[in-house]
Amino acid sequence: MGESTATQTLAARTLQEIDQERVLESDWGGGRSPFGVSWAKFMMWIFLASDALTFAGLLSGYGVARLHSGTWPRQGEIFNLWVVATMTFLLICSSATMAMAVGAARRGDRGAAVRFLALTILGGLSFLGMQAYEWTHFIREGARLTTNPWGVPLFSATFFVITGFHGGHVTSGVLYLLAVTVRALRGRYSAEGVEIAGLYWHFVDLVWVFIFTLLYLI
Amino acid sequence: MERSGHGGYKVYILTWFWLLVITALEVSITLVHMPKVLMASLLILLALMKVVLIAAYFMHLRFERLSLVYVAVTPLVFAVILFFALVPDALRIPGIR
């Protein structure tokens, strides 16, 4: 009995010794935002992290398929590298104009923000147009999801799935940016809203860096 | 210096410029004959440089807290683990299902 009282006193003393104010002031103590960003921006980052894992799965699958098959068609002889380089160029430019739209929105310059957003959308649409051209060319040469004339069926399968999934991301990005632009034109937008849309757009560009390197160059 | 580089376009234009330079380098590397492994390592290194540039300046990660940077980097670590976990299986009896 005496022992349990001693434990209780000890527990009470330990509680007293914890300075509640200091706990709340610490980053992870509950009184602050540990990531230092608003919930909306943080949710976009969480979404991008999970989306990055989807692409990681697809690209790892591609790597395994390619390592396992032993031979792989020479992409340089099948795809026009200059078309793909131009697509990369377009996406990098649209990322730059997106960053500038965010900068303009932060300064409160709505006109400039809308103009840069429109340029970004134009870049995205041109990218999609060139991808459509590339797919058409590839399909006309006989490539299908399960077969192709170059002997390794997984070559066209991984190509269609990965670039298709990325193209889908560009398409949704264009729609997302269109919505943001329309809202900006009506004056119903916030600098942070533009920034969050920008995070998504830059992520699509970032994924393309890997796709460009792994699917076309290596 | 402007606080966290948000004000001017200069940072974005510089980032854009270096991204294009690295892309040009990548394309020229594929035109030069060299061992496959060396080419692949060079290309992956250049790709990582581009990714860091985009994340740090276009996505402002350089001006965010370290905890948010960890959130962004974690998937990349998992991606590398995922790939290397699958490699032994992929290399077993190549060309045979």
Side-chain angles (χ1 to χ4, degrees), chain A residues 217-218, chain B residues 29-30 32 34-44:
Chain A
L217 295 182
I218 289 183
Chain B
I29 279 176
T30 59
V32 181
M34 62 172 91
K36 194 83 184 163
V37 177
L38 177 68
M39 190 180 94
S41 339
L42 272 177
L43 286 173
I44 288 175

Side-chain angles (χ1 to χ4, degrees), chain A residues 83-159:
Chain A
V83 171
V84 190
T86 311
M87 285 163 73
T88 309
F89 171 77
L90 281 169
L91 219 51
I92 290 173
C93 291
S94 78
S95 235
T97 53
M98 185 69 234
M100 288 176 183
V102 175
R106 276 190 174 157
R107 278 186 286 113
D109 189 345
R110 199 176 76 180
V114 168
R115 276 196 297 279
F116 279 127
L117 277 169
L119 277 175
T120 311
I121 293 169
L122 197 69
L125 287 175
S126 320
F127 176 90
L128 284 173
M130 291 190 75
Q131 191 166 47
Y133 165 80
E134 198 194 20
W135 271 47
T136 312
H137 191 73
F138 196 48
I139 293 168
R140 287 225 176 105
E141 285 190 336
R144 298 290 182 273
L145 191 58
T146 49
T147 56
N148 66 66
W150 301 282
V152 187
L154 280 170
F155 168 63
S156 49
T158 50
F159 174 83

Side-chain angles (χ1 to χ4, degrees), chain A residues 61-79 148 150-159 162 214-216 218, chain B residues 36:
Chain A
Y62 160 76
V64 168
R66 194 167 162 177
L67 282 175
H68 193 75
S69 79
T71 59
W72 200 255
R74 293 176 140 267
Q75 307 101 308
E77 289 164 10
I78 295 161
F79 304 115
N148 66 66
W150 301 282
V152 187
L154 280 170
F155 168 63
S156 49
T158 50
F159 174 83
I162 294 174
L214 298 173
L215 260 71
Y216 293 97
I218 289 183
Chain B
K36 194 83 184 163

Side-chain angles (χ1 to χ4, degrees), chain A residues 9-80:
Chain A
T9 337
L10 193 69
R13 249 183 57 206
T14 322
L15 258 182
Q16 274 171 2
E17 273 164 14
I18 297 172
D19 187 341
Q20 292 296 321
E21 290 303 312
R22 274 188 64 196
V23 168
L24 282 177
E25 269 174 23
S26 73
D27 276 348
W28 300 92
R32 286 190 174 200
S33 156
F35 296 99
V37 289
S38 73
W39 64 268
K41 200 163 142 185
F42 186 61
M43 285 301 109
M44 179 49 93
W45 273 109
I46 291 288
F47 165 69
L48 294 182
S50 70
D51 212 20
L53 286 173
T54 313
F55 278 106
L58 287 173
L59 288 171
S60 297
Y62 160 76
V64 168
R66 194 167 162 177
L67 282 175
H68 193 75
S69 79
T71 59
W72 200 255
R74 293 176 140 267
Q75 307 101 308
E77 289 164 10
I78 295 161
F79 304 115
N80 185 345

